[in-house]
Amino acid sequence: ISGLGLRIAGDLAHRVQVVAFGEVAMAVSIGMFIVGLGVFAPRRALPRQPVRPLHEPIQLHAITAYLWLILVGFLLLQSATAALGAPIVPVSPDAERHALGSGFVTMLILGLGAQLLPAFTNRRRRSDRLVWATLVLGNVAALLRVGPLLIAGLSSSLDATVSALAGIAALAALIVFAIN
């Protein structure tokens, strides 16, 4: 919260250094959050359930979501170092927003929703293959949304095409999610 407060205060006061310190604080808190959750720590086996996180689509949704969150942390650090005068080309702030929204939040919703929503209605999922499809489509959509923002000098016509493809992939992921 302090990082966000510094970032907002710096934006309002037009103080780039305060914004940079807020971004560093936010990146550190993201790192502490991920380490504290133990997302990438070894998993404990449960009775009659083998530990296979790379073979379970719902677990892969969570893993990829947190990889997107790690990217957000790196983008915050990159923005802060650029603001503090390092000779780094700044990345568009939209890259951070899309990595957080399209990557982290959406992948968590697609993965955990596939697990929780059928359980709430006392039904089974239609297919685990559809969960794999939302994993692929959701990550493709996020990659197509964030990737062009990380690449400087992309032509505007190519950027518009890639952005349209990202929207199509995201819509396909939502349709598959709804069907499942």
Side-chain angles (χ1 to χ4, degrees), residues 97-109:
R97 293 181 196 111
H98 287 302
L100 186 62
S102 298
F104 176 65
V105 174
T106 302
M107 293 310 299
L108 276 181
I109 290 170

Side-chain angles (χ1 to χ4, degrees), residues 14-102:
H14 302 289
R15 299 285 186 179
V16 178
Q17 292 83 6
V18 176
V19 172
F21 289 126
E23 290 172 337
V24 169
M26 290 172 66
V28 169
S29 66
I30 286 171
M32 290 172 41
F33 175 69
I34 291 171
V35 170
L37 281 177
V39 174
F40 300 106
R43 294 197 173 18
R44 210 177 61 191
L46 298 174
R48 295 183 300 275
Q49 291 183 350
V51 177
R52 299 174 22 184
L54 299 180
H55 295 87
E56 300 290 330
I58 291 174
Q59 290 187 25
L60 280 173
H61 273 81
I63 289 170
T64 59
Y66 282 97
L67 288 173
W68 283 106
L69 190 60
I70 289 171
L71 176 63
V72 171
F74 282 124
L75 292 173
L76 285 166
L77 289 175
Q78 189 272 348
S79 177
T81 54
L84 292 174
I88 297 174
V89 177
V91 174
S92 168
D94 287 339
E96 173 197 337
R97 293 181 196 111
H98 287 302
L100 186 62
S102 298

